[in-house]
Amino acid sequence: MNHLDYLQTMNFEYVLLLRIGASILFAFLLGLEREITGKFAGLRTHILVSAGACVFTLLSIYAFKMHIVEGISGVNDPARIAAQIITGIGFIGAGTVMRHGNNIYGITTAATLWMCAAIGMACGTGMFSVAATASIFSLIVLILVRRFERNFLSSKSYEAKVLEIKLVSPILYIGEMSELVDKNFDKIQKIERKITNDENGSKIVIKMRILSNCPLSDVNDIFKDKNYIEKIEIQEIYE
């Protein structure tokens, strides 16, 4: 291999690494949003999906060139492998969708994985502007549109349902627990407070039944960042 061929090879490998790196970077942004909001698929899943889609796209473009076998000419079709990525992502996305009663969770995460695959394919073809634009608009949808839904559409988008909530915390935080409940729930049908003891000390246990038109994930968000709550149980009651 002469010096010119070597430089061409190095330049080609640099281009491949750049495309894979870009797919990882864009997927990191979407995966971080999913990770922060506590969804089933987070950083690693989104990065692997995007990078995998990018690699498959690169293989479909560069790995299978026109060839002749036993006098039969074969034509390189880059779209053939890339098209199968969409089907494959469907299986991964289905694993993030869960159903609990009448509620279905994980569809947005599945759609985000689908978008990550598309972004990875765009990076694989060198269309970085498309990948960047798709990433930015996806983040806008995930962050800003979610806030719009919660602030303006939540009361209209979900039917009222009865939720049973159980909270456990050290007795030291009984004041914070009571304030948290009173601040966030105004349609309490039934509430019980009792003190229990175990090897770790005294606990305050709050059991309540509320009427809410918010999704269970929003109700869980009220409690999940409170370090003093040791146990949370939320379930929908069908009457």
Side-chain angles (χ1 to χ4, degrees):
M1 179 183 296
N2 59 42
H3 183 66
L4 180 59
D5 291 337
Y6 177 76
L7 290 178
Q8 290 177 343
T9 301
M10 289 297 294
N11 183 62
F12 176 70
E13 292 179 351
Y14 170 77
V15 170
L16 297 185
L17 292 175
L18 177 63
R19 293 182 183 183
I20 296 174
S23 70
I24 293 174
L25 174 62
F26 293 132
F28 176 86
L29 299 176
L30 297 183
L32 182 62
E33 191 280 336
R34 296 284 87 187
E35 191 80 41
I36 292 175
T37 52
K39 306 305 179 183
F40 297 113
L43 273 173
R44 291 177 297 175
T45 305
H46 285 77
I47 289 174
L48 290 174
V49 165
S50 181
C54 180
V55 171
F56 275 120
T57 303
L58 291 172
L59 290 173
S60 68
I61 295 173
Y62 299 110
F64 306 102
K65 298 296 184 180
M66 180 180 292
H67 59 282
I68 300 177
V69 179
E70 296 180 354
I72 300 176
S73 177
V75 179
N76 180 31
D77 182 7
R80 184 174 299 174
I81 294 179
Q84 304 307 312
I85 297 174
I86 301 173
T87 304
I89 291 302
F91 289 98
I92 299 177
T96 67
V97 178
M98 299 183 64
R99 178 171 183 146
H100 179 76
N102 293 328
N103 299 301
I104 299 176
Y105 305 96
I107 294 180
T108 301
T109 300
T112 308
L113 288 172
W114 186 58
M115 177 59 76
C116 266
I119 291 171
M121 293 175 67
C123 291
T125 59
M127 302 176 69
F128 298 122
S129 59
V130 173
T133 302
S135 300
I136 293 172
F137 279 103
S138 295
L139 287 173
I140 291 174
V141 170
L142 290 172
I143 298 174
L144 299 182
V145 176
R146 179 175 64 242
R147 292 181 180 177
F148 174 79
E149 288 177 337
R150 290 184 175 180
N151 293 332
F152 299 100
L153 302 180
S154 291
S155 60
K156 300 178 181 179
S157 301
Y158 300 95
E159 295 182 358
K161 51 185 171 289
V162 179
L163 302 180
E164 189 170 83
I165 303 173
K166 179 181 178 181
L167 306 171
V168 180
S169 176
I171 189 66
L172 178 65
Y173 298 100
I174 185 172
E176 288 85 344
M177 292 278 283
S178 298
E179 181 180 356
L180 185 65
V181 170
D182 295 339
K183 178 181 178 181
N184 290 281
F185 303 103
D186 56 358
K187 298 180 181 179
I188 300 176
Q189 296 182 335
K190 180 181 178 182
I191 186 168
E192 297 178 358
R193 295 181 175 90
K194 67 177 182 179
I195 298 175
T196 62
N197 296 283
D198 58 23
E199 63 275 9
N200 296 318
S202 299
K203 310 288 183 182
I204 175 68
V205 180
I206 297 179
K207 292 183 179 179
M208 59 182 178
R209 183 173 291 192
I210 66 170
L211 185 65
S212 175
N213 59 354
C214 295
L216 268 64
S217 58
D218 284 2
V219 177
N220 183 69
D221 288 345
I222 297 173
F223 307 107
K224 71 176 184 178
D225 294 329
K226 305 300 185 294
N227 295 328
Y228 53 82
I229 298 180
E230 297 181 351
K231 185 177 181 181
I232 306 171
E233 293 181 3
I234 304 174
Q235 61 179 342
E236 185 175 350
I237 304 299
Y238 302 96
E239 298 179 328

